[in-house]
Amino acid sequence: MLAIQVSHLSKEYSLGTVGHGTLQKDMQSWWAKIRGKEDPNTLLGSVPTVPIRDRFLALNDVSFDIRRGEAVAVIGKNGAGKSTLLKVLSRIVAPDKGVARLRGKVSSLLEVGTGFHPEQTGRDNVYMNGAILGMSRQDIAKRFDEIVAFSEIEEFIDTPVKRYSSGMRVRLAFSIAAHFLAEIVILDEVLSVGDAFFQKKSMAKMETLLRNEGRTLLFVSHSFGSVKKLCQRGLLLEHGRLVLDAPVKEVLEAYLPPAKKAAS
């Protein structure tokens, strides 16, 4: 059974100014756009549309399927579209064209601290993330001690997350994703943050989840040792296009220059 279906996905960004500087003005512009009205924040004499040369096609007609229980690596250079793809699949950004269908609960770790409320404590964020995944408070409480123990931040669990180091945030975020029952796990480079011991511990946990619990994994990492260890299949992106969908060894050979192939 398919866990992820991606069909003709495209996403375009406008280069230059992202917003107006305030949430109020951004919301005014968004509301005018969906009603087909003129942007009230457009400067007099300015051109409201963005020239083609100032647009960047982050994803360009990308299609693939992933079966339930499959571990797939997304590989490519910086700017190839990897993170944009994961953000679309995580429902953080909407595609301009195409469709992405995911069957099952999704847990995403895309950036350090994504999904955390900085003013709330680690404890509060555990419960909030569990609720987002549709778990009851009782089910979260049953797993709470195990989550905190795995993250190794027991001493700071009642401290606001804004005071956590990047490594502490990753520890807690990964522990939440690993212990809550999401069928699809999306990881983007987060395991490269933190000490070597925790990275090794996290890799072992992911291997167990994939082997024994049938989780589906979509994984972005420049650690090709981790990619080969976790994933059987790879997707190679270049300039927003999917250029190769093959066994991960074949994708890495196509991606890596000769010197790095020998080193890996």
Side-chain angles (χ1 to χ4, degrees), residues 220-235:
V220 169
S221 177
H222 287 104
S223 171
F224 298 124
S226 299
V227 166
K228 288 189 286 188
K229 197 171 185 180
L230 286 179
C231 303
Q232 302 84 39
R233 178 178 156 210
L235 306 173

Side-chain angles (χ1 to χ4, degrees), residues 15 26 30 33 149 162 164 182 192 212 223 232 239 243 254 257:
L15 301 179
D26 287 347
W30 171 79
K33 181 180 178 180
K162 67 181 180 180
Y164 286 11
S192 62
N212 298 337
S223 171
Q232 302 84 39
H239 305 295
V243 296

Side-chain angles (χ1 to χ4, degrees), residues 119-130:
E119 300 295 335
Q120 293 185 340
T121 66
R123 182 185 301 273
D124 293 335
N125 275 284
V126 171
Y127 277 89
M128 180 180 71
N129 276 264

Side-chain angles (χ1 to χ4, degrees), residues 45-230:
S46 66
V47 180
T49 56
V50 179
I52 293 296
R53 65 179 179 275
D54 292 333
R55 295 176 182 172
F56 172 67
L57 200 56
L59 294 176
N60 188 356
D61 196 33
V62 173
S63 299
F64 60 86
D65 295 332
I66 297 178
R67 297 186 301 275
R68 182 170 293 176
E70 210 174 2
V72 179
V74 183
I75 297 166
K77 296 179 180 178
N78 291 335
K82 306 185 300 298
S83 294
T84 299
L85 174 62
L86 299 196
K87 287 178 180 177
V88 170
L89 295 180
S90 301
R91 303 294 191 252
I92 293 173
V93 300
D96 295 316
K97 296 179 182 178
V99 178
R101 296 185 178 90
L102 290 83
R103 295 182 173 89
K105 295 177 182 178
V106 180
S107 183
S108 301
L109 284 77
L110 303 186
E111 296 174 4
V112 175
T114 297
F116 282 166
H117 191 299
E119 300 295 335
Q120 293 185 340
T121 66
R123 182 185 301 273
D124 293 335
N125 275 284
V126 171
Y127 277 89
M128 180 180 71
N129 276 264
I132 289 171
L133 289 172
M135 298 179 66
S136 69
R137 190 171 183 83
Q138 291 77 13
D139 286 338
I140 298 170
K142 288 178 183 176
R143 294 174 173 83
F144 182 81
D145 289 343
E146 189 177 354
I147 290 169
V148 176
F150 187 91
S151 68
E152 301 175 359
I153 61 166
E154 295 96 327
E155 184 180 354
F156 306 101
I157 196 62
D158 291 309
T159 300
V161 166
K162 67 181 180 180
R163 302 190 185 281
Y164 286 11
S165 67
S166 58
M168 290 168 65
R169 292 185 189 185
V170 166
R171 285 171 179 264
L172 185 58
F174 180 83
S175 189
I176 290 170
H179 290 86
F180 285 165
L181 300 178
E183 291 93 344
I184 301 171
V185 179
I186 298 176
L187 302 179
D188 185 3
E189 285 289 3
V190 292
L191 297 185
S192 62
V193 180
D195 59 79
F197 175 79
F198 189 78
Q199 290 180 33
K200 185 176 180 179
K201 178 179 173 181
S202 299
M203 288 291 297
K205 182 68 174 179
M206 280 307 308
E207 287 184 278
T208 300
L209 293 174
L210 293 170
R211 184 174 60 251
N212 298 337
E213 298 186 21
R215 306 280 183 98
T216 303
L217 174 66
L218 202 59
F219 185 44
V220 169
S221 177
H222 287 104
S223 171
F224 298 124
S226 299
V227 166
K228 288 189 286 188
K229 197 171 185 180
L230 286 179

